[in-house]
Amino acid sequence: MGKKHIKDKVKHYQNDLLYAKNHIVGELKIGIPHSLLEYILNDTLGELPKKVHLNWVVGNYLPYLYEKSFDAVIFCGALPMGDFYAKKVGTWKKVVCASKNYLKEHQKLDCPSALLSHDCLDHIDNFQSTWQLDQSYPIRITQRCSSSSLIAQMAENDLGLCYLPSFTVKKQLEAGDLVEVLTPYTTQQFDIFMVTKEPIADTRKLALIHNFFKQCL
């Protein structure tokens, strides 16, 4: 194979890469928490250009950004150290809430120490049986579930209190199906990041997705 042929091949691949970076076409593989994808699914996904095919992978995939060839990972919370680029796309907080019926039929809840007297609904992996509000408080977990959205539905069905990301219960709170409690103790906010292997500004598809998340979060 001659040197000219090799140079032509290299130039061809370089042009392909440049086209992929600067045109809003092709595929993107994005890791995203389940509850966050549920939140944006309702109205906003249709706003993305149809030529970008999105492969959503649900879960916390930041540790596998390189290993599993993700184009981007959406991460909620404090970022660990790592070989990646990250840009903020929004903020979130956790809220304690329950149905009106549950709150009417149970002991008044005006301080976190009263949580031990209430039915608390939480994730299957909360082994310490505590909720971290302004500080850590012990709780009495009566039912566990692996899905945030299902925990919210359990709370809607009068089964107890839940402590979930604000975007998970936003619609229920707005509709009055759930009522927020202990608000003075849950003011801390956390960042949501889009994490990539290369600067987001260098690839138009990534910049587009970053702007999309900033608009809907």
Side-chain angles (χ1 to χ4, degrees), residues 132-186:
Q132 186 68 39
L133 281 63
D134 61 326
Q135 63 183 59
S136 183
Y137 295 95
I139 60 172
R140 180 168 60 91
I141 302 178
T142 54
Q143 297 196 53
R144 301 175 188 265
C145 183
S146 58
S147 165
S148 294
S149 59
L150 290 178
I151 292 173
Q153 289 182 42
M154 292 162 70
E156 280 186 76
N157 290 326
D158 311 328
L159 296 180
L161 299 162
C162 63
Y163 185 40
L164 294 170
S166 50
F167 51 76
T168 301
V169 292
K170 180 180 178 180
K171 285 200 167 184
Q172 291 97 324
L173 290 172
E174 289 177 346
D177 298 323
L178 291 175
V179 177
E180 184 177 355
V181 295
L182 299 179
T183 306
Y185 303 92
T186 58

Side-chain angles (χ1 to χ4, degrees), residues 92-109:
W92 67 290
K93 66 187 288 273
K94 292 185 74 174
V95 297
V96 182
C97 49
S99 69
K100 292 178 182 177
N101 285 339
Y102 175 87
L103 294 173
K104 183 168 59 176
E105 295 172 3
H106 291 77
Q107 175 185 332
K108 185 178 180 181
L109 182 58

Side-chain angles (χ1 to χ4, degrees), residues 66-103:
Y66 286 89
E67 180 184 339
K68 296 187 181 294
S69 300
F70 282 93
D71 294 293
V73 167
I74 306 302
F75 185 80
C76 301
L79 282 171
M81 297 292 291
D83 182 19
F84 50 71
Y85 297 86
K87 287 188 74 173
K88 182 177 172 181
V89 292
T91 58
W92 67 290
K93 66 187 288 273
K94 292 185 74 174
V95 297
V96 182
C97 49
S99 69
K100 292 178 182 177
N101 285 339
Y102 175 87
L103 294 173

